[in-house]
Amino acid sequence: MIKKQDVFEQALAQLEEALSGMRIEKGIARQLKTPQRVIEVSFPLKKDSGEVELIQGFRVQHNNARGPYKGGLRYHPQVTLEEVKALAMWMTWKTAVVDVPFGGGKGGLVIDPKTLSRPERARLTQSFARTIHEVVGPRIDVPAPDVNTTGEEMVWFRTVWAKLHPEEEHPDAVITGKPIQEGGSEGRTEATGEGGVATLDALRDAIRLPKKFTVSLQGLGNVGSYFARGVEKIGGTIVAVGDSHGAITNPQGLNIHKLLEYKRIHKTIVGFEGSKKISVDELLEGPFDVVVPAALEGAIDASRARILRSPIILELANGPTLPEADQILSKRGVIVIPDILANAGGVAVSYFEWYQNMHALRWESEVVRRRLRTLMRSAAATVFERARRDQTTLRTGALRVAVERVARALERKS
Ligand code: NAD
């Protein structure tokens, strides 16, 4: 993984590349490069032992020209402000690419939640909610899950926020990614992974994806696991998988349902029946039809880009490809389906959840899934067309679509 302080530079470099072929007024460009608000917090967490730990964290609100800030909450020991700033900026582009009326934001706490008990995780999230409650809200800033946070954290957050804001008519809409029985939407948990499948399927002719194709997947968390389940339905076979404990392969195909069950019991994928252990290099550089980074940033650096043998990369993680690697891949003719398109299914269904909460509606699973597929297909077609017209990579095409929409909204406001 790359040094975290470089991640915001990575986001800026991508933006510069997109802006270089556009006519965007200087003042607007400066606004696009700069978060509107950066909130740094620290608060005490009482551990079960009675000991008190000081927790540090951030909420970055990058841009709200197109609607309330929107973006996940990440709990990870290596979270940095630079990283959260980059992730917030990417959210602005993502909501614009799929054309949902949100802006971009992101939050993070510097903590390894795996070292905490469930009551400690509850107190952590409740304190975070109390600390930032004034700067979030259904029409202000709407968080969601990200790495190491799930529906459980969303409910703890929502409950504290709702108590502090009795005036709010639709308190459930303060956060998305809630479990269905707690005001969540059908299809939200699966949305990012399934949206990735829909994107790949929508682009399959354009990128010459074979009817039957092999996939190597890094990350088998929320995003990776639903992608793995869904990709089989469009002709994909997962032949390699990696997570934070290691990587495995089976050229005949890994049975994902059994693998997920194995992981649930053994907490690792290593040792799964019929599989062979491989290195991270083999996982990401091997001769697969599609490589899918679905873990953390920086998985594909320049040296990896020079030697990897897959013709297609589907970015389900945020920021897995470094700018220098991007250039090398583009020269080598490797197609990168960029994060701001490929993993936008999550924020799309987050919008559906927020909309249902704001209108006291409940959509059936099939309605959500159909709307998600339509939205992803339309976004993929728009991005592909823009990249073809401008003769750019899909990333720059996607960024130009997004930047144009955000810039237009900023102009209307000025
Ligand atoms: P998660 O916590 O559920 O899963 C993360 C996975 O990455 C786990 O399998 C973990 O073992 C693996 N991992 C962590 N560190 C690793 C390492 N050093 N090497 C290899 N594997 C490692 O998180 P998630 O929600 O699935 O998110 C994964 C990625 O997708 C992140 O980049 C996140 O920002 C992005 N994303 C998530 C959503 C969402 O809706 N959850 C939406 C858009 C983008």
Side-chain angles (χ1 to χ4, degrees), residues 1 74 87 94 106 145-148 188 192 218-224 242-244 263 294-297 316-318 343 346:
M1 301 285 153
R74 175 176 292 199
L87 290 162
K94 208 178 293 187
K106 202 79 179 192
D146 191 65
V147 174
N148 289 330
R188 172 60 185 91
T192 307
Q218 184 191 45
L220 200 61
N222 171 278
V223 176
D243 71 3
S244 52
K263 190 186 161 174
L296 296 177
E297 298 91 79
L316 291 188
N318 287 308
N343 71 28

Side-chain angles (χ1 to χ4, degrees), residues 30-314:
R30 262 201 297 277
Q31 288 181 66
L32 298 174
K33 291 175 196 170
T34 318
Q36 291 173 336
R37 181 149 57 167
V38 173
I39 300 136
E40 272 195 73
V41 300
S42 65
F43 55 85
L45 170 69
K46 193 161 181 207
K47 304 291 270 302
D48 295 342
S49 62
E51 191 191 324
V52 173
E53 193 179 323
L54 190 68
I55 306 295
Q56 278 195 296
F58 317 96
R59 182 75 188 166
V60 175
Q61 299 176 330
H62 175 258
N63 192 285
N64 67 352
R66 300 181 61 262
Y69 303 105
K70 185 86 193 80
L73 300 176
R74 175 176 292 199
Y75 295 176
H76 195 274
Q78 270 101 43
V79 163
T80 64
L81 176 57
E82 295 303 300
E83 176 188 31
V84 179
K85 277 165 66 180
L87 290 162
M89 180 188 276
W90 285 326
M91 283 307 299
T92 302
W93 312 143
K94 208 178 293 187
T95 53
V97 164
V98 288
D99 209 7
V100 295
F102 281 131
K106 202 79 179 192
L109 292 182
V110 190
I111 179 103
D112 182 358
K114 290 180 186 137
T115 63
L116 302 180
S117 67
R118 187 169 175 272
E120 286 171 339
R121 285 193 294 114
R123 289 198 292 278
L124 175 80
T125 304
Q126 288 154 351
S127 297
F128 193 25
R130 270 190 291 274
T131 308
I132 63 169
H133 79 94
E134 281 171 339
V135 295
V136 297
R139 289 168 206 79
I140 303 170
D141 182 353
V142 185
D146 191 65
V147 174
N148 289 330
T149 58
T150 64
E152 196 166 44
E153 279 79 14
M154 303 305 107
V155 173
W156 289 326
F157 193 103
R158 185 274 321 267
T159 306
V160 167
W161 192 89
K163 272 200 192 120
L164 294 167
H165 294 267
E167 76 288 354
E168 173 57 54
E169 239 181 293
H170 307 291
D172 280 355
V174 68
I175 202 159
T176 58
K178 303 176 291 293
I180 293 172
Q181 66 278 15
E182 292 282 353
S185 175
E186 291 284 347
R188 172 60 185 91
T189 317
E190 303 87 342
T192 307
E194 289 187 358
V197 174
T199 309
L200 193 58
D201 199 31
L203 290 172
R204 70 182 309 155
D205 292 341
I207 61 174
R208 297 201 184 90
L209 181 71
K211 224 174 173 154
K212 297 266 175 224
F213 56 96
T214 57
V215 177
S216 171
L217 173 67
Q218 184 191 45
L220 200 61
N222 171 278
V223 176
S225 62
Y226 286 105
F227 172 79
R229 287 181 179 113
V231 80
E232 293 179 340
K233 295 183 195 129
I234 64 160
T237 303
I238 307 273
V239 293
V241 169
D243 71 3
S244 52
H245 300 284
I248 58 168
T249 185
N250 179 346
Q252 261 59 60
L254 292 155
N255 181 319
I256 290 305
H257 297 272
K258 285 192 181 153
L259 180 60
L260 288 168
E261 184 56 17
Y262 180 90
K263 190 186 161 174
R264 197 181 60 77
I265 298 164
H266 300 274
K267 309 281 173 235
T268 174
I269 54 173
V270 178
F272 178 60
E273 199 189 317
S275 74
K276 187 179 115 210
K277 197 167 184 293
I278 53 171
S279 66
V280 179
D281 293 345
E282 289 170 292
L283 177 76
L284 295 169
E285 296 161 13
F288 311 105
D289 292 315
V290 187
V291 166
V292 184
L296 296 177
E297 298 91 79
I300 300 172
D301 60 10
S303 54
R304 190 156 273 157
R306 277 186 203 103
I307 52 176
L308 67 75
R309 282 171 285 168
S310 294
I312 300 166
I313 297 171
L314 179 75

